[in-house]
Amino acid sequence: GNFTPNSAYQTNLNAIISQFPTLTYFNYGFFNLSAGESPNKVYSSALCRGDLTQDRCYSCLNYTATELERLCPWNKAAIAWSELCLVRYANRDMYGLLEDDPPRTCAFNEQNASNPVQFNQALSDLLNELSAKAAAGGPLRKYAAGSASAGNLEMVYATVQCTPDMTQENCVTCLNFAMTELRLCCLGRKGCRVLRPTCVLRFESNLFYNETAVPLPSPPPSPTTSPPPKGKTSILSLRYFEV
């Protein structure tokens, strides 16, 4: 639905959009923002590609959010994908929800691979490998990137990513849908982006991502157990470390 000009909903949406250029925390490129109170509360989520630095992430989010508001001036719910990030907002909480609407959005390279059969097989194997890796990521980032030889001195490079509020199962589901859409819209092309609200994938015949992503913090050490003294009742000793 739409909101009316100068309404409480517009005030809250403007408050959301104005936050993007003033963000002071990185959160590894994933943001959940909200403003206002029900029934005019606005919810927003934003995701930067997993290899982006903080400055490039902020720049993309600010640009995309501003363009989204300009191109969809009265919509209560809207989503936009730039090359490096996505921004969406709605009049409902979206956190953790697997979203299917819009059902398919893709943009592809007009050029075809020189050896499409071998290229497609290499791409399929690569995407399956990266999807499993991304889905197994933790709550800070679900992203994977890699490359494979596609024959005839050709390479295929790919990135896959879910919003990190997705469970592993929902991330796999979203990326499987994205790979199905890829086969429908851009199989045999030299490059393509498939865009969904909770996951994105991209492949190209040239390197388009940073091979070194911003490192995630190291997980805390696992609790250790001490062996029980002989003839004594076993006592579990746990060690906790602050990080």
Side-chain angles (χ1 to χ4, degrees):
N2 295 338
F3 60 86
T4 56
N6 302 316
S7 63
Y9 194 89
Q10 184 175 28
T11 299
N12 294 332
L13 178 58
N14 289 339
I16 290 281
I17 301 300
S18 67
Q19 290 186 58
F20 286 106
T22 61
L23 290 170
T24 58
Y25 62 100
F26 184 39
N27 203 36
Y28 302 96
F30 179 59
F31 302 88
N32 274 285
L33 308 173
S34 63
E37 300 294 335
S38 181
N40 295 302
K41 189 171 184 177
V42 181
Y43 300 85
S44 177
S45 65
L47 179 70
C48 289
R49 200 172 71 195
D51 62 318
L52 293 195
T53 61
Q54 182 170 324
D55 287 345
R56 293 189 73 196
C57 177
Y58 287 169
S59 177
C60 185
L61 292 178
N62 184 34
Y63 167 79
T64 307
T66 302
E67 284 294 285
L68 182 57
E69 187 180 36
R70 182 182 69 85
L71 295 170
C72 305
W74 311 118
N75 295 96
K76 286 186 176 181
I79 183 169
W81 296 267
S82 295
E83 181 182 1
L84 304 176
C85 66
L86 72 86
V87 175
R88 58 193 299 233
Y89 55 79
N91 57 342
R92 58 184 176 82
D93 191 357
M94 303 171 287
Y95 189 85
L97 297 179
L98 179 63
E99 302 278 358
D100 293 325
D101 188 28
R104 188 175 81 189
T105 301
C106 68
F108 56 84
N109 190 322
E110 294 288 346
Q111 293 183 319
N112 292 321
S114 59
N115 185 354
V117 174
Q118 194 167 352
F119 187 91
N120 292 340
Q121 185 59 58
L123 173 62
S124 178
D125 293 342
L126 178 61
L127 290 178
N128 285 330
E129 175 188 340
L130 295 179
S131 295
K133 183 177 179 181
L140 295 179
R141 187 163 62 203
K142 284 181 164 61
Y143 166 82
S147 61
S149 172
N152 289 352
L153 303 179
E154 197 167 29
M155 295 288 292
V156 56
Y157 301 85
T159 60
V160 301
Q161 187 170 14
C162 295
T163 56
D165 58 326
M166 291 290 97
T167 63
Q168 181 172 352
E169 180 182 7
N170 280 347
C171 182
V172 169
T173 299
C174 188
L175 290 172
N176 283 341
F177 275 125
M179 287 188 282
T180 298
E181 291 160 8
L182 182 151
R183 288 189 286 270
L184 293 172
C185 76
C186 46
L187 196 63
R189 305 287 188 176
K190 295 185 72 172
C192 182
R193 286 191 295 154
V194 179
L195 311 169
R196 298 181 64 84
T198 52
C199 68
V200 292
L201 68 78
R202 180 181 180 183
F203 73 87
E204 303 287 349
S205 58
N206 58 284
L207 181 62
F208 62 91
Y209 54 84
N210 298 313
E211 294 186 277
T212 302
V214 175
L216 295 171
S218 300
S222 301
T224 59
T225 59
S226 299
K230 276 190 177 182
K232 301 274 182 123
T233 302
S234 173
I235 299 174
L236 183 65
S237 173
L238 300 181
R239 301 174 185 173
Y240 294 94
F241 299 82
E242 292 187 359
V243 293

